[in-house]
Amino acid sequence: MTHADGQTGLSDAGRAWSRVRANLRLSAGARLFDQWLAPMSLVEPCDGEDVRLALPSAFMTDWVRNHYAERLVHEFRALLPRVRSVTIETRRATPAPEVLTIAVPAPVAARPAAVAAPLLDLVAATPAVRPPVSEPASFIERPQLDPRYTFDRFVADPSNLVALNAARALAEPGPVRFSPLFIHGGTGQGKSHLMHAIGHAFLDARPDARVLCMSAERFMFDFVAAMRARDTHAFKSRLRGCDLLLIDDLQFIAGKDATQEEFFHTINEIMAAGKRLVISADRAPQALDGVETRILGRMSAGLVADVKMSTLELRRAVLAQRLAELPDAIVPAEVVDMIACRIASSIREVEGALNRVVAYASLTGEVIDLSFAQSVLGDTLRGAQRRVTIDEIQKLVSEHFDIKQIDLLSARRARAVARPRQIAMYLAKRMTTRSLPEIGRKFGGRDHSTVIHAVRRIEELRDTDRDVDGAVRTLIHQLEA
Ligand SMILES: Nc1ncnc2c1ncn2[C@@H]1O[C@H](COP(=O)(O)OP(=O)(O)OP(=O)(O)O)[C@@H](O)[C@H]1O
């Protein structure tokens, strides 16, 4: 219930918001506060449980969400303990509100939670940030699922097909398939998106199911907090009572022995009860140093699937999809293509680049063209621009393996030469925009199928052979420096 203050006319949430703002100003400092936080306003009416805050641009929304989402929940809850969630959304200041209502495209509209916020800006829409822990054991979890991360919004591509199909199968009601599912891959390649999509699909089919989604880091914090409070019972029943448990970024518990002990028992119980389990990490189980073998063994008993570095086609398709969600934005094809080609590191960065261009154009009123986009994305492009050449790759690989560069181009098949050659081809595919035939030509006139074979082989070896994975990581690091 909202109570209005007789003297100030403010609701409980309104008064809490004034205090939260004052606290933020003190802790963030005037400059940061004025730039990012001052433009934020409370969306009224507010029932004091689900708080909504609005910012005038998607860009700002993104920034505040990344840096202040959890903080805002804590600040509000300290003043108003009944606050359940804080949602940060985009609401453009002018013109009048009806212009602000962005059509919610069909796929996302299927989820009522996402539609509930009428001014939802799909690019920057922020999931409600739920309070972290300590719900009573009987509470049916409302999982921390990002409303944007659904299967409908996940673009299928050869680089993610196995993981996507396994994720879909695991989310289907009925017999449990492909559980535990272990999804691994580089940063920003869609692991969390897939996990959340599983959660959404599973809840769509079984709305009363207990689904819990958390990072391994959160698992550790909650567990440590429960131990400190000498009350691990609620923690255990909360985790172990799940129908679907989704744990992101497993690598965080590497080396944390007590947490791993608890984690092992948790996944054991989930699996023994025939419930579903999905885990993600930034590398394959075999390469997760510092994580107990018995945990990794459990993972390997299920399906291990990777999401590989995005292809150019995938980046193009994701951008096209995101643009379709921004009917007001006019972004020429050459700008889209420039972003897809020049930013190859992570899809998160690709999306971020598009958002930034659109946000700047809406703030400055400028028309988007190639030079506008390039000036907005200056630093990002300069970072991404560090153009690696095939020659550079060959030089570095030959130095690393202490062979002659010419050997990489030769017909020699000895493993001491063949493996580095495959690694060099893999890096050329991954770190340059050269096509397969072009790469083949640069390696002594080889066929494009040889390059494909090399890329696949190294991808496989990176999952199973630490030495190869380690060498590739070092080389990538050096090439990116
Ligand atoms: N195949 C895809 N289709 C559509 N969107 C994608 C796809 N892959 C990634 N994305 C988008 O890219 C962004 C980053 O994805 P996500 O957060 O899932 O990456 P991640 O692999 O979990 O990264 P990290 O390990 O850094 O957490 C998200 O906005 C996600 O929606």
Side-chain angles (χ1 to χ4, degrees):
M1 246 237 308
T2 311
H3 303 281
D5 179 312
Q7 286 181 334
T8 61
L10 286 177
S11 64
D12 291 349
R15 268 180 288 123
W17 172 229
S18 305
R19 297 263 306 275
V20 169
R21 271 175 69 92
N23 292 346
L24 288 178
R25 183 166 229 292
L26 279 179
S27 59
R31 220 173 61 118
L32 202 143
F33 179 85
D34 289 345
Q35 187 174 351
W36 298 104
L37 303 168
M40 189 157 53
S41 58
L42 177 74
V43 178
E44 293 276 25
C46 175
D47 60 7
E49 293 186 353
D50 294 306
V51 175
R52 285 162 55 208
L53 299 172
L55 277 151
S57 80
F59 184 55
M60 293 176 115
T61 307
D62 232 14
W63 191 91
V64 172
R65 174 167 67 92
N66 285 335
H67 295 84
Y68 277 88
E70 290 221 6
R71 175 72 187 274
L72 284 162
V73 176
H74 290 307
E75 291 275 353
F76 266 106
R77 291 195 89 203
L79 297 164
L80 268 187
R82 68 176 193 280
V83 166
R84 284 186 313 199
S85 67
V86 176
T87 307
I88 306 164
E89 61 194 34
T90 305
R91 181 186 271 221
R92 300 185 205 288
T94 55
E98 61 270 21
V99 180
L100 305 172
T101 308
I102 293 173
V104 178
V108 180
R111 290 203 64 76
V115 184
L119 303 178
L120 194 66
D121 175 331
L122 283 168
V123 171
T126 303
V129 182
R130 303 281 173 200
V133 267
S134 351
E135 304 290 356
S138 62
F139 181 79
I140 294 189
E141 296 280 353
R142 275 193 291 158
Q144 305 186 315
L145 298 179
D146 189 320
R148 297 168 302 169
Y149 292 176
T150 59
F151 281 130
D152 291 327
R153 292 181 85 248
F154 192 86
V155 179
D157 181 76
S159 60
N160 59 39
L161 208 54
V162 174
L164 173 60
N165 285 338
R168 282 189 188 282
L170 186 137
E172 274 170 19
V176 179
R177 291 167 66 207
F178 303 123
S179 178
L181 172 61
F182 187 96
I183 304 173
H184 67 97
T187 184
Q189 304 299 335
K191 302 182 297 293
S192 306
H193 189 139
L194 271 181
M195 293 192 99
H196 288 229
I198 294 172
H200 286 304
F202 191 62
L203 276 174
D204 283 346
R206 287 183 47 190
D208 61 337
R210 278 170 169 258
V211 176
L212 189 52
C213 178
M214 58 164 61
S215 66
E217 199 181 16
R218 177 93 256 159
F219 179 96
M220 184 180 80
F221 284 140
D222 290 0
F223 176 59
V224 171
M227 292 236 292
R228 286 215 179 108
R230 294 180 199 285
D231 178 17
T232 50
H233 178 73
F235 175 84
K236 285 182 203 288
S237 43
R238 178 170 171 253
L239 269 289
R240 298 179 189 185
C242 282
D243 297 305
L244 168 63
L245 178 61
L246 306 157
I247 301 279
D248 214 353
D249 293 328
L250 184 69
Q251 68 275 6
F252 276 113
I253 61 166
K256 312 283 189 315
D257 295 344
T259 304
Q260 290 194 30
E261 174 79 22
E262 179 57 29
F263 187 76
F264 175 72
H265 293 300
T266 303
I267 62 173
N268 245 356
E269 286 215 12
I270 296 264
M271 288 168 69
K275 307 293 185 180
R276 292 157 214 245
L277 174 66
V278 184
I279 294 193
S280 84
D282 66 353
R283 61 203 87 156
Q286 305 87 321
L288 273 170
D289 291 329
V291 176
E292 287 181 18
T293 11
R294 56 183 181 158
I295 295 179
L296 301 178
R298 288 285 183 279
M299 296 298 99
S300 308
L303 186 80
V304 176
D306 64 344
V307 278
K308 302 185 176 62
M309 277 293 282
S310 65
T311 58
L312 178 60
E313 292 69 35
L314 175 58
R315 295 194 294 278
R316 281 196 179 121
V318 171
L319 285 171
Q321 194 194 56
R322 300 297 181 262
L323 262 182
E325 293 167 354
L326 295 170
D328 294 338
I330 301 172
V331 184
E334 58 177 2
V335 170
V336 174
D337 226 45
M338 183 271 289
I339 295 175
C341 289
R342 301 264 305 263
I343 304 179
S345 46
S346 93
I347 299 186
R348 184 181 295 113
E349 288 204 21
V350 170
E351 288 180 332
L354 177 69
N355 289 349
R356 220 168 320 145
V357 170
V358 172
Y360 269 80
S362 83
L363 289 173
T364 58
E366 290 204 39
V367 171
I368 300 175
D369 60 16
L370 207 48
S371 73
F372 175 80
Q374 279 164 343
S375 72
V376 170
L377 299 177
D379 284 347
T380 312
L381 293 180
R382 270 191 287 283
Q385 206 177 17
R386 158 88 192 94
R387 282 256 162 117
V388 177
T389 63
I390 294 186
D391 185 58
E392 218 176 325
I393 292 173
Q394 291 174 340
K395 211 172 264 156
L396 197 67
V397 170
S398 50
E399 275 167 22
H400 184 94
F401 290 100
D402 199 18
I403 55 176
K404 295 198 189 82
Q405 189 173 342
I406 192 90
D407 284 340
L408 294 177
L409 280 51
S410 74
R412 284 187 58 198
R413 289 171 161 224
R415 180 176 284 203
V417 172
R419 187 71 82 228
R421 186 185 296 127
Q422 287 178 326
I423 289 179
M425 288 183 183
Y426 168 85
L427 293 171
K429 176 73 189 95
R430 183 174 159 164
M431 302 190 73
T432 73
T433 50
R434 300 299 186 134
S435 65
L436 294 169
E438 276 175 321
I439 296 173
R441 278 198 292 279
K442 294 265 181 190
F443 281 83
R446 289 179 156 78
D447 191 46
H448 78 283
S449 60
T450 311
V451 184
I452 295 180
H453 174 74
V455 172
R456 291 209 180 122
R457 186 72 189 120
I458 298 304
E459 272 168 358
E460 278 164 21
L461 286 173
R462 288 197 68 185
D463 288 345
T464 53
D465 185 326
R466 272 185 203 190
D467 292 341
V468 171
D469 187 51
V472 171
R473 277 170 191 272
T474 308
L475 289 162
I476 291 177
H477 190 68
Q478 287 172 331
L479 287 163
E480 280 177 346

